[in-house]
Amino acid sequence: MMTMADLPHEILSSVCAVAYEVSLPNDISLDPSFTPLTHTTPTALPSSYPPSSWSETTTRQTLASLCLVNRAWYNAAKPYLWRHIEIRQPRSWLAFVEQVGGSDPAEVESLEANAERLVISRAASLASRAAVAGGSLEGSAELLERSIHQQLLCHNGALVPHDSVPAELLTPPASREPSPARLRAKSPVRWRFLRAVSDAVQSLEPDVYVPTPDDPQPGRHVQHLDFNHFRTIGMRRSGEEAVRSRFVTAERLERVLKEMPHLASFGATEYMDGALNKNVLRELMLRGKALAFRGQGAIRGRQQQDVTMQTDEDMDEDLERLKDCKGLEALDLCGCVSSVFVQGLDEIVQEYFADEVAEDGTTTPSEVTIPSIKRLGLRGVTSVPASVLTPFVLAFTSLTHLDLSGTRCSPELLNALADSATVQLKSFAIARCPRLTSESIADFLIDGLPARTITQLSLYGDGTFVTPLTEMDLVRIVKQAPCFQSGEMEYLDMSSCPVTSAVLDVFVPHPLLRSLGLSHIGSLPLGEVSKFILTTAPNVEVLTLVNTSPELAIHISPRQVPLSLHTHLIRPLATAPFHFSLTSSSVPKPPPTRLRVVELTVGVLNALGAGSEAWKIVKSKGGRGWYVDTASGWENGKLRRDLPPNHPMRVELERLAASNGNVSSAVGWHARKMEVLSGQGLLGREDGLYGAVSFAYQG
């Protein structure tokens, strides 16, 4: 009878893959992730209960438990347990550095020497076994093994034990030729050695397939690394200790990045941006076959040639090693403003991406691009000047997600980006960019090639940074921009834009619109908002009305505000029509729209008191607050408007309302920050520092 230990590695690995993939968000839910509900079986449908995915904590606990079953389960679950790394505490970061990058240079050198000896023995033994399996004589296989030993020893100068490696320690033969990116170096020295192993085997016996031995170090499994939850507040360290004894240093970060050849996404915050110097940024952006050179005379973004870096004999070893790594796909630099980061970014731009100015004054455009990175988050990067920001952003020629909110983005950047034929934006945010002009925004959205595919757009502005758009340009955008005329918009924020009834009347139907921002528009009546949602966007679930409409002005009587809100908005949009029937077979009609969350100012929320019936007030960890219908929610792919009082989701929503702002940073609706690392965009949900920017901060 077959037992669990007899199952092949492929089946065990598939089980672990499923356990990991159920934590990846598939169908985006607009509601917060409730911890008590995440232990239930996830569903693939757009649902808040049961959740569409497990939490990251639940998945990590499951994979950790599988590692404790036996050696076979450990080998199958280990790659998925290390795939997604979130640094939360300073001590855990130091432990991670020691585990992945080694504790000190002497120990690293010793570990590399032992690993080299093991790799030599494995390669030689595998080559001889492969030769025998291929039909070679046993004597010739032994001769091949001795030849490989001799050549590798001559290259490395190390002593190799004569004992052969046991068969159970060898990697099983692969079904096809492995990719050159399968095994990576612990350091440039070890990387050169591993290349010598492969070259030696192929030069001695080119027709014999030798599978690459597995690297025992866990860094090769890491595909996601972020510092979203990392902070040093509360450690009772003096200012001098914080300066002299930093936890996340450039040396440590560079060391671990060199151990992660398959890293696909990286997230940084202001708590560790002092480690983002030139070497670290170079390690992040120039890895893989990411560097490409445009053809001579090609316009930026047009006629790009797929010519990767050419290997020269005098090329830097790091560039050779980085070329064999996997290119980064997502980079989030939210809030990075330190002088070290700004200087490092400036040096990278000047070396690779800036235009070259000759002695005679002629300018040669840079031909270097990074097509591997598709999602870039620069929200709050306020210290980077426009002269550095423009060439840096234009170097990414395959962007689908771009967040420029709160930066020094200039009209020149939008004008140059509009000519790119390779950028196809899906999510785009230019909130609170004071240097942009109304004309530049309108021209980009109307004529820009990358703007045609936008489905998530943020033009957010507030009382401090009002959007520069004029009413005339806004009408032009709504009437002529392809992203507005397609009717496929899912997220739209026009806060502080000059939205009037004339602007709303020229909108085409938007049946996919789920989250709408109309804050800081003091002259827009509630009746016009209600009419727009009812006729143009009936599937809007979340609506922001902070400092909008004269009916919700703070000088209005506290008794008048709830009456106006329910009369003009809640009752006509979110209340089912009156139904009376003498037969039980008659089904009542649902509300005319899906509106169930309305963001309001603190003064208006205080005037609402405890709410009305199922409508409750939920406050964020910061200064934002929402008027939420707790009886509405997505369940198994359907939006229910009649959740009973004992329903788990309604209980959790009411618990959030009773918490009075004592909630996690992931609680909220209508994000202000783009989710970059996993690709959910402005409809995504984050916690930690990213969540605070998305849902807690008012600005």
Side-chain angles (χ1 to χ4, degrees):
M1 180 179 179
M2 179 177 291
T3 62
M4 186 69 68
D6 299 328
L7 293 176
H9 175 77
E10 289 77 10
I11 294 181
L12 302 183
S13 181
S14 299
V15 174
C16 297
V18 173
Y20 172 78
E21 289 176 358
V22 293
S23 66
L24 304 178
N26 38 33
D27 293 289
I28 299 177
S29 173
L30 300 184
D31 296 310
S33 177
F34 306 113
T35 303
L37 306 183
T38 56
H39 296 283
T40 57
T41 303
T43 176
L45 299 173
S47 175
S48 299
Y49 179 83
S52 58
S53 60
W54 272 352
S55 65
E56 192 269 342
T57 303
T58 303
T59 298
R60 183 168 295 277
Q61 292 174 351
T62 303
L63 293 173
S65 300
L66 291 177
C67 288
L68 301 177
V69 176
N70 53 34
R71 175 60 62 176
W73 276 107
Y74 172 80
N75 293 332
K78 178 183 176 181
Y80 297 98
L81 188 61
W82 281 90
R83 181 168 294 187
H84 188 101
I85 300 297
E86 295 180 355
I87 305 299
R88 295 177 178 267
Q89 300 295 333
R91 300 301 177 186
S92 64
W93 161 248
L94 296 180
F96 176 76
V97 173
E98 182 176 357
Q99 183 72 20
V100 175
S103 56
D104 56 75
E107 182 178 349
V108 171
E109 185 177 355
S110 176
L111 292 175
E112 288 182 357
N114 294 332
E116 290 171 2
R117 296 189 183 97
L118 180 60
V119 169
I120 291 176
S121 299
R122 285 182 175 180
S125 179
L126 284 171
S128 62
R129 295 179 63 197
V132 173
S136 301
L137 298 178
E138 197 169 332
S140 62
E142 295 178 358
L143 180 61
L144 172 63
E145 182 173 355
R146 288 197 299 269
S147 301
I148 294 175
H149 269 288
Q150 293 175 1
Q151 180 164 344
L152 292 177
L153 287 175
C154 292
H155 174 272
N156 193 47
L159 295 177
V160 182
H162 295 286
D163 299 334
S164 60
V165 181
E168 59 269 19
L169 297 181
L170 297 174
T171 305
S175 59
R176 60 180 178 85
E177 182 67 21
S179 170
R182 179 178 176 184
L183 185 58
R184 298 299 174 229
K186 282 179 62 61
S187 66
V189 176
R190 187 180 176 195
W191 171 77
R192 292 198 309 269
F193 169 76
L194 293 179
R195 290 193 63 179
V197 171
S198 177
D199 295 342
V201 173
Q202 295 300 323
S203 62
L204 291 174
E205 193 70 20
D207 297 331
V208 176
Y209 165 70
V210 180
T212 306
D214 284 333
D215 190 342
Q217 299 302 322
R220 65 192 178 95
H221 302 304
V222 179
Q223 298 183 9
H224 173 101
L225 177 65
D226 72 69
F227 293 82
N228 180 23
H229 298 84
F230 178 82
R231 64 193 69 191
T232 56
I233 295 178
M235 297 193 65
R236 298 182 178 180
R237 299 203 306 165
S238 64
E240 183 179 358
E241 290 176 336
V243 173
R244 293 186 177 182
S245 303
R246 293 182 179 273
F247 291 100
V248 184
T249 62
E251 293 76 14
R252 290 170 179 166
L253 184 56
E254 183 181 3
R255 191 198 313 171
V256 298
L257 288 176
K258 288 182 177 180
E259 309 300 328
M260 303 175 186
H262 302 122
L263 186 66
S265 55
F266 178 83
T269 63
E270 63 267 27
Y271 281 92
M272 47 75 61
D273 57 353
L276 300 178
N277 62 4
K278 175 185 176 181
N279 294 334
V280 173
L281 294 175
R282 184 169 175 264
E283 187 73 28
L284 285 171
M285 292 183 290
L286 305 186
R287 56 174 43 215
K289 295 181 179 180
L291 280 181
F293 297 96
R294 299 187 181 96
Q296 296 294 331
I299 301 176
R300 180 177 292 274
R302 296 180 182 270
Q303 302 174 358
Q304 177 177 341
Q305 297 181 357
D306 294 331
V307 182
T308 56
M309 291 188 305
Q310 301 298 323
T311 304
D312 299 326
E313 294 181 357
D314 57 348
M315 183 174 288
D316 188 3
E317 284 180 351
D318 284 342
L319 286 180
E320 281 291 323
R321 174 182 53 80
L322 289 171
K323 179 184 175 182
D324 283 345
C325 295
K326 178 182 178 181
L328 204 67
E329 296 180 3
L331 179 62
D332 198 338
L333 301 173
C334 176
C336 295
V337 294
S338 69
S339 58
V340 176
F341 165 72
V342 175
Q343 181 180 358
L345 186 62
D346 180 49
E347 293 175 355
I348 286 289
V349 169
Q350 296 302 326
E351 183 175 353
Y352 294 99
F353 310 129
D355 298 340
E356 297 182 3
V357 180
E359 296 180 355
D360 57 355
T362 59
T363 302
T364 303
S366 173
E367 298 294 327
V368 182
T369 64
I370 304 180
S372 66
I373 295 182
K374 299 180 179 179
R375 302 185 296 274
L376 180 63
L378 297 174
R379 180 182 176 86
V381 184
T382 57
S383 301
V384 178
S387 59
V388 176
L389 183 67
T390 298
F392 177 68
V393 174
L394 295 178
F396 304 96
T397 57
S398 302
L399 291 176
T400 59
H401 295 67
L402 179 59
D403 191 350
L404 297 174
S405 302
T407 64
R408 301 183 184 181
C409 174
S410 62
E412 290 75 16
L413 173 56
L414 291 187
N415 295 335
L417 189 63
D419 295 331
S420 175
T422 58
V423 175
Q424 296 182 352
L425 294 175
K426 175 184 177 183
S427 184
F428 184 59
I430 47 175
R432 294 166 59 94
C433 293
R435 299 196 175 191
L436 292 178
T437 62
S438 177
E439 183 181 1
S440 63
I441 298 176
D443 292 343
F444 175 77
L445 294 177
I446 295 174
D447 302 324
L449 299 178
R452 295 179 178 180
T453 55
I454 292 178
T455 59
Q456 302 172 10
L457 177 63
S458 175
L459 303 173
Y460 175 82
D462 53 20
T464 305
F465 295 98
V466 182
T467 178
L469 279 174
T470 63
E471 183 178 355
M472 182 180 301
D473 285 331
L474 184 59
V475 172
R476 286 179 52 217
I477 292 173
V478 175
K479 295 177 64 175
Q480 302 178 24
C483 57
F484 280 82
Q485 290 296 310
S486 65
E488 298 180 356
M489 199 73 72
E490 300 173 348
Y491 175 106
L492 178 61
D493 197 328
M494 298 188 297
S495 298
S496 81
C497 293
V499 179
T500 61
S501 58
V503 175
L504 297 179
D505 289 340
V506 296
F507 266 84
V508 299
H510 284 267
L512 302 181
L513 189 60
R514 302 181 64 188
S515 190
L516 176 63
L518 293 176
S519 299
H520 305 286
I521 310 175
S523 60
L524 185 63
L526 283 181
E528 295 295 332
V529 177
S530 177
K531 175 185 175 183
F532 172 77
I533 296 178
L534 187 63
T535 59
T536 306
N539 292 326
V540 167
E541 302 177 39
V542 182
L543 175 66
T544 70
L545 294 176
V546 177
N547 292 327
T548 294
S549 178
E551 292 94 336
L552 301 179
I554 56 177
H555 63 272
I556 299 296
S557 172
R559 296 183 180 180
Q560 188 66 28
V561 170
L563 181 61
S564 300
L565 181 65
H566 280 266
T567 301
H568 298 289
L569 200 70
I570 304 298
R571 187 175 301 172
L573 298 181
T575 304
F578 177 75
H579 175 77
F580 176 78
S581 177
L582 298 177
T583 60
S584 59
S585 59
S586 179
V587 179
K589 295 182 179 180
T593 69
R594 291 181 174 179
L595 183 66
R596 57 191 181 93
V597 178
V598 181
E599 182 178 1
L600 302 166
T601 60
V602 176
V604 175
L605 293 176
N606 293 335
L608 292 172
S612 175
E613 297 180 349
W615 286 82
K616 304 295 182 181
I617 298 173
V618 177
K619 294 183 179 180
S620 71
K621 198 181 184 71
R624 298 178 65 183
W626 300 267
Y627 199 39
V628 183
D629 183 8
T630 59
S632 299
W634 285 89
E635 183 179 21
N636 293 324
K638 297 181 179 180
L639 180 62
R640 292 188 55 183
R641 309 302 295 259
D642 57 347
L643 298 179
N646 59 348
H647 192 277
M649 183 179 176
R650 182 168 180 175
V651 171
E652 289 300 317
L653 287 174
E654 293 180 350
R655 182 185 62 83
L656 292 179
S659 299
N660 194 27
N662 187 18
V663 296
S664 70
S665 58
V667 173
W669 291 264
H670 195 79
R672 298 269 174 81
K673 176 191 175 300
M674 184 184 301
E675 199 286 319
V676 171
L677 298 182
S678 62
Q680 298 179 8
L682 291 167
L683 288 178
R685 182 165 299 278
E686 298 173 289
D687 54 2
L689 296 174
Y690 292 166
V693 178
S694 295
F695 304 110
Y697 300 158
Q698 186 66 257

